[in-house]
């Protein structure tokens, strides 16, 4: 007698609640997420493969900023540009909306979020704008992304947030508290430059402050904005200078909890080419190099993590999105390009992998 059919077998799994869940493999393992703007002025989040081919699109109600990918399910969350009032949860198999998250009254989103290691919780950076306090929103990703609470971010103006795994396997949240106070009534105006103090805060998943880096007084106007985490747990941070134009100050730093931070390329005159603005930051796969983009300067700079020296600079108009891959770094631009940068050949120009009619926004988010 023939054995049970595949259809019957799957029906049995469904009845027992054991059917295999959808995964990123169902999409052919997409590599990146990026917000963008179409020629007609509409906004979207797109999923790209390693060559820059667009695999799916999801329309956004306004300009997007960053996104985060669920660690196992083919779901992504697209965040509005700050001060934002939406975060769209997307089924990446179809581009369909699963949920639209709205911050509670008195809060707005700050452009970034991250999942817990098990994917059950989503953490979002937020501003409690009447008090000016930074908050981390908590959403239950296993129950329709229901809001379940929030806790302090450790500072003012939390922007980027990343999940860090320490060498001993412990997980915590790293928050870039940029130090800049804003209020929706004032748009994107910076309300506290006279007193601003950025910091890098390490929080437990429950919100306990575990460690904190506060920059020296002469760097107080260098807003910590964006983060990268190496495989060994080193935190790379990119800053944006809020003081007078023309200051040749470091824009990239490295930090490990319990240790002093290090600033990259501090004496290199090419720092001025960043125009005081770090757009995105990423480590090379082997952790020996760190790169930063500057759309204001139209450059990418790559520094050595051991020496801190600036190793390479490449010019690309309106470059901002940045991620690492097996060949080095990959970047996106507001001109619709996805380009490959080599980490090993200093004289090798960027290689254009894909051209689109989209204006890619600030970040190119890798899907692990």
């Amino acid at each position: 007698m023939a054995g049970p059919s595949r259809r019957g077998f799957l029906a049995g799994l469904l009845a027992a609640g054991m059917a295999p869940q959808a995964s990123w493999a169902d999409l052919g393992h997409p590599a990146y997420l990026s917000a963008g703007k179409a020629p007609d002025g509409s906004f979207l989040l797109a999923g790209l493969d390693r060559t820059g081919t667009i695999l799916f699109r999801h329309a956004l109600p306004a300009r997007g900023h960053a996104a985060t990918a669920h660690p196992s399910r083919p779901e992504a969350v697209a965040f509005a540009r700050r001060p934002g009032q939406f975060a769209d949860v997307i089924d990446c198999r179809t581009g369909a909306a699963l949920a639209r998250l709205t911050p509670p009254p008195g809060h707005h989103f700050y452009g970034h979020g991250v999942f817990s290691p098990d994917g059950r919780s989503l953490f979002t950076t937020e501003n409690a704008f009447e008090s000016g306090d930074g908050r981390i929103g908590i959403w239950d990703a296993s129950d329709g992304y229901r809001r379940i609470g929030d806790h302090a971010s450790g500072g003012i103006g939390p922007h980027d947030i990343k999940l860090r795994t320490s060498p001993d396997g412990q997980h915590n949240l790293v928050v870039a508290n940029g130090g800049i106070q804003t209020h929706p009534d004032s748009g994107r105006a910076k309300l506290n430059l006279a007193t601003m103090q950025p910091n890098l805060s390490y929080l437990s998943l429950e919100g306990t402050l575990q460690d904190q880096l506060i920059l020296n007084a002469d760097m107080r106007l260098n807003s910590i904005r964006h983060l990268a985490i190496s495989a060994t747990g080193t935190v790379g941070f990119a800053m944006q200078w809020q003081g007078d134009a023309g200051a040749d100050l470091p824009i990239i730093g490295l930090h490990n909890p319990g240790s002093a931070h290090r600033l990259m390329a501090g004496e290199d005159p090419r720092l001025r080419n960043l125009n005081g603005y770090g757009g995105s930051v990423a480590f090379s796969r082997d952790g020996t190099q760190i790169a930063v983009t500057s759309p204001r300067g139209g450059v990418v700079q790559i520094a050595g993590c051991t020496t801190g020296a600036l190793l390479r600079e490449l010019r690309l108009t309106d470059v901002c999105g940045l991620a690492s891959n097996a060949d080095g770094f990959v970047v996106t631009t507001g001109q619709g390009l996805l380009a490959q940068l080599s980490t090993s050949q200093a004289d090798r120009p960027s290689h254009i992998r894909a051209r689109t009619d989209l204006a890619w926004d600030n970040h190119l988010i890798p899907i692990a």
Side-chain angles (χ1 to χ4, degrees), residues 175-195:
V175 183
N177 286 301
I180 300 173
Q181 186 173 354
T182 61
H183 192 287
D185 291 347
S186 303
R188 292 169 62 83
K190 301 158 186 175
L191 305 177
N192 68 329
L193 293 184
T195 59

Side-chain angles (χ1 to χ4, degrees), residues 151 202-211:
H151 56 67
Y202 297 81
L203 310 175
S204 71
L205 299 187
E206 295 73 33
T208 301
L209 182 64
Q210 299 174 323
D211 202 348

Side-chain angles (χ1 to χ4, degrees), residues 28 32 83 88 210 214 224 226 247 335:
Y32 310 109
D88 277 8
Q210 299 174 323
I214 297 177
I224 300 176
H226 294 113
Q335 310 297 311

Side-chain angles (χ1 to χ4, degrees), residues 41 54 78 104 132 176 262 268 352:
I54 296 174
R262 297 172 52 222
D268 197 302
I352 306 302

Side-chain angles (χ1 to χ4, degrees), residues 151-360:
H151 56 67
S153 73
I156 291 174
H159 190 58
D160 204 354
I161 182 171
K162 288 284 191 286
L163 180 72
R164 176 181 178 270
T165 303
S166 63
D168 62 1
Q170 299 299 307
H171 302 292
N172 59 10
L173 300 173
V174 187
V175 183
N177 286 301
I180 300 173
Q181 186 173 354
T182 61
H183 192 287
D185 291 347
S186 303
R188 292 169 62 83
K190 301 158 186 175
L191 305 177
N192 68 329
L193 293 184
T195 59
M196 71 169 279
Q197 179 63 74
N199 73 56
L200 191 64
S201 290
Y202 297 81
L203 310 175
S204 71
L205 299 187
E206 295 73 33
T208 301
L209 182 64
Q210 299 174 323
D211 202 348
Q212 191 173 68
L213 165 64
I214 297 177
L215 297 176
N216 299 334
D218 60 346
M219 295 285 284
R220 154 184 100 70
L221 292 176
N222 225 357
S223 178
I224 300 176
R225 306 293 289 164
H226 294 113
L227 303 171
I229 313 291
S230 77
T232 59
T234 297
V235 177
F237 56 95
M239 298 171 282
Q240 296 175 6
W241 177 245
Q242 307 301 313
D244 294 336
D248 296 339
L249 291 173
I251 293 298
I252 318 174
L254 303 180
H255 186 248
N256 282 291
S259 303
H261 67 286
R262 297 172 52 222
L263 300 178
M264 303 286 99
E267 303 299 325
D268 197 302
R270 289 174 290 178
L271 280 176
R272 69 189 59 169
N273 297 336
L274 293 169
N275 203 10
Y277 191 94
S280 293
V281 61
F283 283 99
S284 60
R285 289 285 177 88
D286 63 7
T288 63
Q289 298 180 12
I290 188 167
V292 66
T293 57
S294 174
R296 292 185 181 178
V299 297
V300 186
Q301 292 187 351
I302 302 173
C305 293
T306 300
T307 65
L310 183 54
L311 305 176
R312 189 178 183 203
E313 177 179 89
L314 296 101
R315 294 195 171 272
L316 274 173
T317 300
D318 202 12
V319 63
C320 199
L322 172 68
S324 63
N325 62 11
D327 299 320
F329 295 100
V330 60
V331 296
T332 51
T333 78
Q335 310 297 311
L337 302 182
L338 183 142
Q340 177 69 50
L341 311 180
S342 170
T343 58
S344 58
Q345 300 182 46
D347 59 346
R348 179 179 173 185
S350 58
H351 168 66
I352 306 302
R353 286 197 166 190
R355 299 176 185 270
T356 73
D357 61 357
L358 301 177
W360 294 121

